[in-house]
């Protein structure tokens, strides 16, 4: 195998880039198999007669370009990029096509947001009219780069009990922008970051754009294994850890109270920050789960909290907020200004009044009641119809179930194509992993965009394909 790595160097191009490009070609041409272990840094430096630092930089570039992944304590492994990216593009195209189809004829188990039937259009329309009557043109033209001050004040009072300073709250255009702002402020090129495995692809994209080194930790029933995490922390300087502490996407896992406290203690001990993406924490269906985000427990100023209103309110308003530690106020405010100067003034004012007048809490209570009914129906059907074909972890909240196939002869991507022919759409696990092999036997089904009749029909069709 050593012979395939032999190459001639060009003077004009840095050696580490030439080595990286050469290995990419070997992976693309299948001379190096997907998942095959690459030579150690010392081995390859001897083969190519270059120093160790050159190979380190070459492997870092391979990882940042998506052609390699690292296993802690094991080494660097090849990854054929097209295995994931081609299907991801196809899946994305499929989701877009759903929007143009007759929705009555399809069963969409891919949804991640509130369905229109649960949106309180009458109340929100009245709130907008009140804002326009009260503020006139200012509701449309006023720009406040860090967010409408009354909205920040209302978020602080109504959602956080007045514990925060307004300077610590920034209004953003959804969670993705919040993650981007946070990462720009705390992660530099070649910094080390830790994420859950699997995780939200949008966060991975931001870390890759910053050319960070990404460590993955498999998520367990109550969060990542903190002993494994600490082993990474002992050997590597970590800048941040990205997490969804409630109803993790896609697994539905919520962190235990004890694990949250230990995680915060580790952040203080090893001097890293936690980006907490509060995804769906309002949608709790079990009295045993207490709503207490990491930020609520954060005594050490280690948590950057990101919250979107899109998932549980209205996707179209594109609003969310961040709570940032004092040490990052200036850098994240600057990052927000550089990203966009202001978020929609009218929507901010309408949301502020909607929360202040108590509609927000009423809306969440209503949604919890409605979604709990569908959650219980889907859970019962999975246990009744699919019990011998799959396993799953009961999320006890959120909008979806994460399913593992028992039969290793069936892969979730194949199941996706079979169900698509029957107008049933699921989300294969490959979407949430950097390495496609890890997602082969998982898929996610959401109940947010389907009624009870479609849930019943959809689960029965899944059963037919798994027989």
């Amino acid at each position: 195998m050593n012979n395939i790595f032999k190459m001639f160097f060009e003077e004009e191009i840095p050696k580490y880039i030439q080595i990286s490009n050469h290995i990419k070609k070997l992976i693309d041409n299948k001379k190096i198999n997907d998942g095959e272990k690459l030579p150690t840094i010392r081995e390859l430096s001897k083969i190519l007669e270059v120093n160790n630092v050159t190979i380190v930089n070459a492997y870092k570039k391979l990882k940042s370009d998506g052609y390699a992944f690292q296993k802690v304590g094991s080494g660097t492994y090849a990854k054929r990029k097209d295995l994931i990216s081609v299907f991801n593009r196809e899946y994305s195209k499929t989701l877009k096509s759903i929007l143009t189809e007759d929705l009555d004829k399809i069963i969409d188990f891919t949804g991640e947001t509130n369905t229109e039937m649960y949106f309180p259009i009458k109340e929100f329309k009245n709130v907008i009219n009140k804002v326009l009557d009260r503020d006139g043109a200012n509701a449309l033209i006023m720009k406040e780069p860090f967010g409408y001050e009354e909205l920040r004040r209302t978020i602080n009072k109504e959602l956080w009990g007045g514990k925060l300073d307004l300077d610590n709250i920034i209004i953003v255009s959804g969670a993705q922008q919040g993650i981007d702002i946070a990462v720009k402020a705390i992660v530099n090129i070649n910094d080390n970051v830790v994420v859950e495995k699997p995780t939200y692809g949008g966060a991975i994209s931001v870390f890759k754009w910053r050319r960070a080194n990404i460590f993955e930790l498999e998520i367990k029933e109550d969060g990542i294994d903190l002993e494994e995490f600490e082993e990474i922390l002992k050997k590597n300087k970590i800048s941040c850890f990205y997490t969804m502490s409630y109803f993790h996407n896609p697994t539905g896992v919520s962190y235990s109270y004890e694990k949250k406290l230990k995680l915060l203690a580790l952040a203080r001990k090893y001097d890293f920050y936690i980006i907490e993406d509060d995804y769906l924490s309002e949608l709790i269906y079990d009295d045993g789960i207490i709503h207490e985000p990491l930020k609520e427990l954060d005594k050490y100023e280690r948590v950057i909290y990101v919250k979107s209103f899109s998932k549980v309110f209205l996707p179209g308003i594109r609003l969310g907020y961040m709570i940032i530690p004092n040490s990052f106020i200036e850098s994240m405010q600057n990052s927000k200004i550089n990203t966009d100067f202001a978020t929609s003034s009218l929507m901010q004012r309408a949301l502020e009044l909607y929360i202040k007048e108590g509609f927000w809490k009423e809306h969440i209570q209503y949604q919890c009641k409605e979604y709990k009914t569908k959650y219980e129906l889907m859970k019962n059907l999975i246990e009744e119809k699919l019990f011998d074909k799959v396993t799953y972890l009961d999320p006890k909240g959120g909008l979806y179930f994460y399913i593992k196939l028992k039969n290793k002869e069936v892969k979730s991507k194949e199941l996706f194509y079979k169900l698509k022919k029957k107008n049933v759409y699921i989300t294969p696990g490959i979407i949430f992993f950097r390495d496609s092999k890890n997602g082969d036997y998982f898929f996610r089904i959401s109940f947010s965009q389907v009624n009870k009749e479609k849930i019943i029909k959809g689960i029965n069709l899944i059963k037919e394909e798994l027989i």
Side-chain angles (χ1 to χ4, degrees):
M1 180 179 176
N2 288 352
N3 290 334
I4 69 173
F5 289 98
K6 290 290 187 180
M7 55 186 294
F8 296 99
F9 292 108
E10 301 176 21
E11 293 184 4
E12 298 82 3
I13 304 173
K15 288 184 178 180
Y16 81 93
I17 293 179
Q18 294 182 61
I19 294 169
S20 173
N21 290 339
H22 181 65
I23 295 176
K24 285 180 187 177
K25 289 180 181 178
L26 294 174
I27 295 171
D28 286 337
N29 294 331
K30 300 185 179 180
K31 291 183 178 179
I32 297 177
N33 296 322
D34 181 59
E36 184 174 345
K37 187 175 181 179
L38 298 177
T40 66
I41 292 168
R42 183 177 297 177
E43 288 172 345
L44 193 53
S45 65
K46 287 182 178 180
I47 293 169
L48 299 178
E49 298 179 352
V50 298
N51 61 46
N52 289 355
V53 174
T54 300
I55 304 302
V56 169
N57 289 333
Y59 279 1
K60 284 182 178 178
K61 179 156 181 57
L62 283 172
K63 285 187 285 183
S64 67
D65 292 344
Y67 276 87
F69 62 95
Q70 186 179 52
K71 291 184 180 179
V72 179
S74 178
T76 303
Y77 293 76
K79 180 173 71 174
R80 192 169 300 123
K81 195 173 182 181
D82 62 341
L83 287 175
I84 294 179
S85 59
V86 170
F87 179 76
N88 283 7
R89 288 194 294 271
E90 185 177 346
Y91 176 76
S92 178
K93 185 177 179 181
T94 298
L95 293 191
K96 291 177 182 177
S97 71
I98 291 176
L99 300 175
T100 63
E101 293 183 22
D102 186 346
L103 298 181
D104 290 334
K105 296 180 180 180
I106 69 170
I107 299 173
D108 180 13
F109 284 147
T110 69
E112 294 182 58
T113 58
N114 182 20
T115 183
E116 68 276 3
M117 72 179 70
Y118 295 147
F119 180 66
I121 186 68
K122 182 178 179 181
E123 289 88 348
F124 198 67
K125 180 180 178 181
N126 290 337
V127 165
I128 289 177
N129 288 335
K130 284 184 179 181
V131 168
L132 290 172
D133 290 340
R134 183 191 69 191
D135 300 342
N138 283 336
L140 301 171
I141 63 175
M142 286 291 289
K143 292 184 177 181
E144 297 179 67
F146 310 132
Y148 178 47
E149 186 173 316
E150 280 302 311
L151 174 57
R152 290 188 287 147
R153 184 173 285 109
T154 298
I155 287 171
N156 183 27
K157 180 182 177 182
E158 300 296 333
L159 305 184
W160 290 89
K163 301 173 184 177
L164 309 171
D165 292 329
L166 292 194
D167 286 344
N168 296 107
I169 303 174
I170 296 177
I171 304 300
V172 293
S173 301
Q176 184 66 37
Q177 186 186 60
I179 295 166
D180 183 66
I181 289 171
V183 171
K184 284 179 180 178
I186 62 178
V187 178
N188 296 310
I189 293 174
N190 291 331
D191 275 4
N192 298 316
V193 301
V194 177
V195 300
E196 296 149 337
K197 179 181 179 181
T199 193
Y200 169 51
I204 292 289
S205 297
V206 176
F207 288 129
K208 285 183 176 180
W209 182 81
R210 294 295 285 179
R211 296 174 66 182
N213 303 314
I214 303 172
F215 292 84
E216 297 177 299
L217 280 172
E218 188 172 348
I219 194 161
K220 310 293 184 181
E221 291 187 3
D222 63 345
I224 59 169
D225 186 320
L226 295 185
E227 290 184 2
E228 290 182 19
F229 191 12
E230 188 160 18
E231 287 303 309
I232 293 177
L233 293 167
K234 288 175 181 177
K235 298 174 184 178
N236 304 274
K237 172 59 181 171
I238 300 298
S239 293
C240 79
F241 168 56
Y242 169 77
T243 182
M244 289 171 273
S245 57
Y246 280 92
F247 312 124
H248 172 271
N249 186 18
T251 66
V253 165
S254 296
Y255 278 69
S256 65
Y257 175 77
E258 293 76 18
K259 190 157 279 191
K260 289 177 191 174
L261 293 181
K262 290 178 182 178
L263 185 55
L264 289 167
L266 287 176
R268 185 188 190 194
K269 180 179 179 180
Y270 291 97
D271 190 26
F272 66 89
Y273 290 88
I274 300 169
I275 299 176
E276 182 180 21
D277 185 354
D278 188 349
Y279 190 57
L280 295 168
S281 66
E282 295 88 353
L283 301 180
I284 295 173
Y285 314 136
D286 187 294
D287 293 338
I289 298 179
I290 306 300
H291 184 258
E292 204 164 23
L294 279 162
K295 189 62 188 176
E296 186 79 31
L297 303 170
D298 182 23
K299 299 177 181 178
Y300 314 123
E301 289 274 291
R302 287 285 152 184
V303 177
I304 299 153
Y305 177 88
V306 180
K307 175 66 184 177
S308 171
F309 289 107
S310 301
K311 301 299 182 186
V312 293
F313 191 46
L314 178 65
I317 68 171
R318 304 304 306 158
L319 281 179
Y321 68 95
M322 301 175 66
I323 302 174
I324 54 182
N326 289 322
S327 56
F328 288 109
I329 287 176
E330 184 176 354
S331 61
M332 290 194 186
Q333 286 180 342
N334 289 337
S335 182
K336 173 63 168 70
I337 292 172
N338 291 333
T339 303
D340 65 22
F341 186 70
T343 305
S344 170
S345 178
L346 176 59
M347 288 297 103
Q348 287 189 68
R349 290 164 187 256
L351 180 59
E352 184 274 326
L353 194 58
Y354 189 86
I355 295 172
K356 182 181 286 185
E357 295 199 351
F359 293 128
W360 170 259
K361 289 184 178 178
E362 291 178 5
H363 178 60
I364 294 299
Q365 290 171 359
Y366 170 71
Q367 279 197 104
C368 278
K369 179 181 176 182
E370 294 296 315
Y371 281 131
K372 183 178 181 180
T373 301
K374 294 202 288 186
Y375 151 79
E376 289 175 342
L377 173 62
M378 183 171 277
K379 176 184 173 182
N380 291 336
L381 286 169
I382 292 170
E383 293 178 349
E384 177 187 344
K385 305 287 187 178
L386 307 178
F387 69 95
D388 57 338
K389 306 296 182 184
V390 306
T391 60
Y392 75 100
L393 180 70
D394 185 358
K396 300 179 181 179
L399 294 173
Y400 40 75
F401 287 84
Y402 190 58
I403 310 294
K404 183 177 182 180
L405 295 165
K406 289 183 179 180
N407 185 356
K408 299 304 179 184
E409 295 180 3
V410 179
K411 294 184 179 181
S412 61
K413 192 163 67 170
E414 297 167 0
L415 181 62
F416 168 79
Y417 288 121
K418 290 179 179 178
L419 290 170
K420 181 181 175 184
K421 292 178 181 179
K422 296 185 176 182
N423 287 326
V424 179
Y425 296 88
I426 63 171
T427 305
I430 186 176
I431 297 296
F432 306 101
F433 288 89
R434 298 174 70 205
D435 178 2
S436 61
K437 292 182 179 179
N438 288 290
D440 279 345
Y441 304 108
F442 295 91
F443 65 95
R444 191 191 69 186
I445 49 175
S446 169
F447 46 84
S448 70
Q449 299 292 324
V450 285
N451 58 30
K452 296 175 184 178
E453 290 73 22
K454 287 187 175 183
I455 291 174
I456 296 170
K457 183 179 179 181
I459 296 297
N460 281 325
L461 288 171
I462 291 174
K463 178 184 178 181
E464 289 178 10
E465 293 300 335
L466 294 179
I467 291 176

